[in-house]
């Protein structure tokens, strides 16, 4: 399955929305049923294509938020103000509607259940989506690798998967979760070297580092990790959009 998931030929498939739930204040998790879905790895993404009545099409990339589960593909979409595609996916698409979807895409920003090294996940805003897929895949595989997540988000109302993350931090042995608010409370701040130093792993442990979010966030965190002594070859990044 893993080989097919990484190198399979990409074809557009019809994906029918079978479930939708709000995720924080302005995002939505969408579950599609995709017949003949070949499976995927945590960290991979799909392209979603919308077609208007006049034939105009628009496509965007979305990371999968959950590991492979038969023909189900789950994504979480943040509504971007004035965006062409995301507000439609968050506010308009209804259970039973169909879109086109192709994937899985990406063979570098992936975590495999057979990995045993410690893992540091650092997500900014919607960048937590593929990291959540890794946390869920670890649990589903019964993998005992040490995982740490540092999640930077504006306010508690903007948090994705809030209840599940708290539950997993309590119940999933070897998983630590730290949430940093950038616009909430007296300690509101953007992620610093002290945060990564305190809540990440020391470079001596040679963790696999996955960093995902807006371009500016990813560059800041990657610079911090290198400055702290992490091997750049062990830092994998995924950029979601324009500079934050
Ligand atoms: C590999 C990959 C994975 C991605 N995974 C996810 C995901 O899991 N969840 C998710 O919500 N998004 C994800 N994105 C971003 C997504 O592809 C779209 O860029 C986003 O949904 C905006 O599309 P739009 O059509 O609504 O906005 P557009 O019409 O393309 O843009 C409207 C305005 O918003 C700005 N903008 C565009 N994208 C962003 C952004 N990401 N953040 C802030 N401003 C932006 C544009 O500069 C423009 O000013 C991913 C992107 C990539 C490359």
């Amino acid at each position: 399955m893993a080989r097919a998931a990484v190198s399979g030929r990409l074809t557009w498939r019809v994906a029918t929305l079978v479930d939708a739930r709000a995720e924080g204040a302005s995002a939505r998790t969408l579950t599609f049923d995709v017949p003949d879905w070949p499976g995927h790895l945590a960290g991979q993404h799909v392209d979603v294509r919308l077609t208007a009545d006049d034939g105009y099409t628009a496509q965007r990339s979305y990371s999968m938020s959950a590991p492979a589960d038969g023909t189900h593909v789950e994504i979480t979409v943040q509504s971007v103000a004035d965006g062409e595609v995301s507000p439609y996916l968050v506010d308009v698409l209804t259970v039973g509607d169909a879109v086109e979807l192709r994937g899985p895409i990406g063979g570098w920003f992936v975590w495999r259940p057979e990995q045993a090294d410690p893992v540091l996940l650092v997500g900014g805003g919607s960048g937590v989506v593929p990291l959540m897929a890794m946390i869920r895949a670890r649990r589903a595989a019964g993998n005992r690798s040490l995982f740490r997540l540092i999640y930077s988000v504006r306010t508690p109302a903007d948090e994705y998967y809030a209840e599940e993350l708290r539950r997993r931090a309590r119940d999933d042995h070897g998983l630590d979760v730290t949430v940093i608010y950038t616009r909430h409370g007296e300690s509101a701040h953007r992620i610093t070297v002290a945060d990564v130093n305190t809540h990440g792993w020391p470079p001596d442990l040679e963790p696999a580092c996955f960093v995902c979010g807006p371009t500016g966030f990813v560059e800041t965190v990657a610079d911090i990790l290198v400055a702290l002594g992490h091997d750049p070859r062990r830092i994998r990044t995924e950029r979601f959009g324009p500079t934050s």
Side-chain angles (χ1 to χ4, degrees):
M1 188 281 292
R3 180 177 293 273
V6 172
S7 62
R9 205 163 53 84
L10 293 182
T11 51
W12 288 105
R13 300 166 196 270
V14 174
T16 305
L17 188 68
V18 292
D19 189 52
R21 59 182 185 275
E23 209 69 75
S26 53
R28 194 156 77 136
T29 290
L30 306 171
T31 307
F32 294 97
D33 184 59
V34 189
D36 301 325
W37 182 248
H40 59 268
L41 294 167
Q44 290 188 299
H45 66 274
V46 292
D47 288 338
V48 173
R49 180 163 74 179
L50 306 178
T51 304
D53 291 340
D54 64 2
Y56 172 78
T57 62
Q59 72 185 58
R60 298 288 185 274
S61 301
Y62 294 100
S63 299
M64 286 169 281
S65 50
D69 174 20
T71 57
H72 279 182
V73 172
E74 188 181 291
I75 61 175
T76 302
V77 180
Q78 175 71 39
S79 183
V80 172
D82 302 326
E84 189 177 6
V85 170
S86 61
Y88 180 84
L89 294 176
V90 173
D91 300 323
V92 181
L93 196 72
T94 304
V95 169
D97 289 349
V99 299
E100 286 176 292
L101 183 152
R102 72 177 177 190
I105 302 169
W108 172 247
F109 194 84
V110 296
W111 179 81
R112 293 176 165 78
E114 57 270 26
Q115 283 183 227
D117 40 0
V119 172
L120 174 61
L121 309 171
V122 189
S126 55
V128 75
V129 173
L131 312 182
M132 191 64 186
M134 296 177 190
I135 288 171
R136 287 169 166 164
R138 170 185 184 271
R139 171 72 179 195
N143 179 295
R144 306 296 291 259
S145 311
L146 297 174
F147 264 45
R148 285 186 173 171
L149 168 68
I150 305 175
Y151 178 16
S152 171
V153 62
R154 287 180 181 176
T155 71
D158 296 300
E159 262 183 87
Y160 296 2
Y161 324 120
E163 189 276 328
E164 183 182 342
L165 276 175
R166 278 174 189 78
R167 178 165 43 82
R168 288 192 183 279
R170 190 188 64 216
D171 298 344
D172 290 12
H173 186 72
L175 168 68
D176 290 326
V177 175
T178 302
V179 181
I180 296 168
Y181 299 115
T182 58
R183 300 189 191 174
H184 172 80
E186 295 198 345
S187 61
H189 66 281
R190 291 190 165 207
I191 194 164
T192 64
V193 67
D195 294 316
V196 180
N197 198 27
T198 305
H199 303 294
W201 297 111
D204 297 356
L205 277 182
E206 300 188 334
C209 303
F210 295 91
V211 185
C212 185
T215 304
F217 176 87
V218 169
E219 286 171 1
T220 298
V221 173
D223 287 348
I224 288 173
L225 287 168
V226 171
L228 286 173
H230 289 269
D231 183 345
R233 290 169 300 184
R234 297 191 62 77
I235 304 170
R236 300 182 183 210
T237 59
E238 184 93 284
R239 292 163 172 77
F240 270 10
T243 308
S244 58

